[in-house]
Amino acid sequence: MRKSLVSRMAVVLAALGTALSAGAAEQVNIYSYRQPFLIEPVLDEFTRETGIETQVVYASSGLNERLEREGRNSPADIVLTSNTSSLMDLVGKGLTQPVESAVLERNVPAQFRDANGNWFGLTTRARLIYASRERVKPGEITSYEELTDPKWKGRICTRSGKHPYTLSLIASMIAHHGEAETKQWLQGLKDNLARKPQGNDRAQVKAISEGECDLSLGNSYYFGNMITNTEQPEQIEWAESVNLVFPNQGDRGTHMFISGAALTRYAPHRDNAIKLLEFLSGEDAQYLYAEKNFEFPVRPGTQRSELIRQHMGAFKEDKLSITEIATHVPTASRLVDEVQFDF
């Protein structure tokens, strides 16, 4: 059954690749890790404004590897990612090319783009502390560092230490505090866990709602996805059971992630692809793109969605460069193993 499914997927992807290759000159071909509902409205607007058609292959994984296999014959112009690790992998494998664009440099803050122009952030997310409304008083926890306080013993839930979201936060702690102190922090966090790391960010909020723990770590956009989920109203209840804590507002600010995009090394429609990147960084596209997944626009001064303004408001962001954070990810992964965080 598994081999049959893989075979069918290979056929579908091959057909999509043929369709991309056969397109007209005025087009942009996209490999996207981001879901259709997030980007199709923005791509439709791009086509209306420019006349440039977009062709998209969607997948939850494997697009970097596919691009690597295709080499010079790849039809892809742009890769859209949902996290930093995919962007770093693309650059590490030599699958991108630099872009020089005054528009992108103006619209995307330096900490959210590659210094050499190999990738650009398009939206940002905050790594929050979700706190029980019933069992955690407002102001009782205000920083990532306080997660190791003994008063939280048996009261914290989180996903795997090996997940890119967790590794990124640990890497940022290394950048701010050094390896030795971060290892102590990670051990302290583990000592305070209510259960073995498991599930996704929503599962942690569910556990708070059910009384299994009182605090969790989670990305900001999950709150929006839960509080508006009328198809699964139990998730609305989960969201209503927590307060959102933006950590470290008194010092460096809250840890941030990005979704982003990169121009492929052999992009057959390079000029059109750069036009799309610039469009995605513009004010109107930024609002629409970020609003669809309750994320924050990367472009400074862009209005945020009504739900974001209602539940999150203004907050101080950690200005640490995404590139610098990425350099500490291998060390972060090693520390997760050393403290046996997931066991």
Side-chain angles (χ1 to χ4, degrees):
M1 177 66 72
R2 181 176 178 84
K3 289 184 178 180
S4 177
L5 177 60
V6 171
S7 297
R8 291 198 299 272
M9 290 179 64
V11 171
V12 170
L13 287 174
L16 286 168
T18 301
L20 294 187
S21 302
E26 288 303 303
Q27 71 180 51
V28 178
N29 297 332
I30 303 164
Y31 284 0
S32 177
Y33 288 107
R34 307 230 69 186
Q35 299 177 63
F37 81 91
L38 293 175
I39 68 169
E40 285 181 351
V42 186
L43 297 180
D44 289 344
E45 185 61 30
F46 172 72
T47 298
R48 280 193 291 270
E49 291 192 16
T50 65
I52 299 171
E53 298 289 338
T54 60
Q55 303 288 337
V56 189
V57 170
Y58 296 98
S60 60
S61 62
L63 291 176
N64 288 19
E65 292 74 16
R66 176 179 177 176
L67 191 64
E68 187 174 26
R69 289 195 305 271
E70 292 169 338
R72 292 178 178 274
N73 296 319
S74 178
D77 298 299
I78 287 176
V79 179
L80 294 177
T81 77
S82 58
N83 57 59
T84 309
S85 59
S86 293
L87 293 170
M88 299 302 173
D89 182 60
L90 287 167
V91 175
K93 291 177 176 178
L95 300 175
T96 65
Q97 61 174 295
V99 175
E100 293 185 8
S101 165
V103 173
L104 288 167
E105 290 181 6
R106 181 175 66 248
N107 288 343
V108 182
Q111 70 266 29
F112 297 136
R113 54 181 162 86
D114 177 54
N116 296 316
N118 282 290
W119 54 262
F120 298 86
L122 295 177
T123 61
T124 66
R125 309 90 169 265
R127 194 67 177 163
L128 304 185
I129 296 173
Y130 286 75
S132 169
R133 286 188 176 182
E134 293 183 357
R135 301 178 298 278
V136 180
K137 297 176 182 177
E140 193 174 356
I141 185 165
T142 62
S143 71
Y144 300 114
E145 288 79 0
E146 292 171 345
L147 290 168
T148 64
D149 190 312
K151 73 179 180 181
W152 303 118
K153 189 171 182 63
R155 301 175 66 186
I156 301 175
C157 290
T158 186
R159 70 195 308 162
S160 169
K162 288 292 190 175
H163 191 277
Y165 297 158
T166 311
L167 289 174
S168 182
L169 175 60
I170 299 169
S172 77
M173 296 291 287
I174 295 171
H176 286 296
H177 297 298
E179 180 180 337
E181 187 173 335
T182 299
K183 184 176 180 178
Q184 291 180 348
W185 172 81
L186 192 60
Q187 182 65 60
L189 175 58
K190 179 189 176 182
D191 290 344
N192 284 343
L193 294 181
R195 63 183 187 182
K196 178 180 175 180
Q198 59 190 265
N200 57 24
D201 284 0
R202 296 192 210 203
Q204 316 313 317
V205 181
K206 178 185 179 184
I208 292 176
S209 176
E210 295 175 346
E212 189 171 358
C213 48
D214 297 337
L215 299 175
S216 73
L217 289 164
N219 282 358
S220 52
Y221 66 90
Y222 283 109
F223 179 84
N225 288 332
M226 289 185 292
I227 200 71
T228 60
N229 194 342
T230 55
E231 293 183 1
Q232 296 177 288
E234 67 274 13
Q235 293 198 13
I236 298 176
E237 296 179 9
W238 303 347
E240 291 176 340
S241 75
V242 296
N243 287 318
L244 305 178
V245 178
F246 286 81
N248 298 83
Q249 293 302 286
D251 45 76
R252 66 182 180 273
T254 297
H255 178 56
M256 304 299 292
F257 300 91
I258 61 167
S259 73
L263 181 69
T264 64
R265 182 175 181 179
Y266 301 111
H269 310 97
R270 185 178 188 277
D271 291 344
N272 288 345
I274 294 174
K275 288 178 182 178
L276 175 57
L277 289 175
E278 292 176 341
F279 176 83
L280 291 172
S281 75
E283 184 172 7
D284 292 342
Q286 277 283 290
Y287 175 83
L288 184 58
Y289 191 33
E291 187 268 342
K292 287 294 180 182
N293 200 38
F294 310 107
E295 296 173 310
F296 306 111
V298 73
R299 179 184 178 276
T302 303
Q303 182 175 329
R304 296 177 175 181
S305 71
E306 181 179 350
L307 183 140
I308 292 291
R309 296 197 304 272
Q310 177 185 350
H311 293 282
M312 301 184 192
F315 65 95
K316 183 178 181 180
E317 302 178 359
D318 190 345
K319 299 298 184 182
L320 196 62
S321 164
I322 296 294
T323 302
E324 181 178 354
I325 292 171
T327 64
H328 297 292
V329 167
T331 303
S333 181
R334 175 170 54 79
L335 294 183
V336 168
D337 291 333
E338 289 181 1
V339 305
Q340 296 185 308
F341 188 81
D342 286 347
F343 299 97

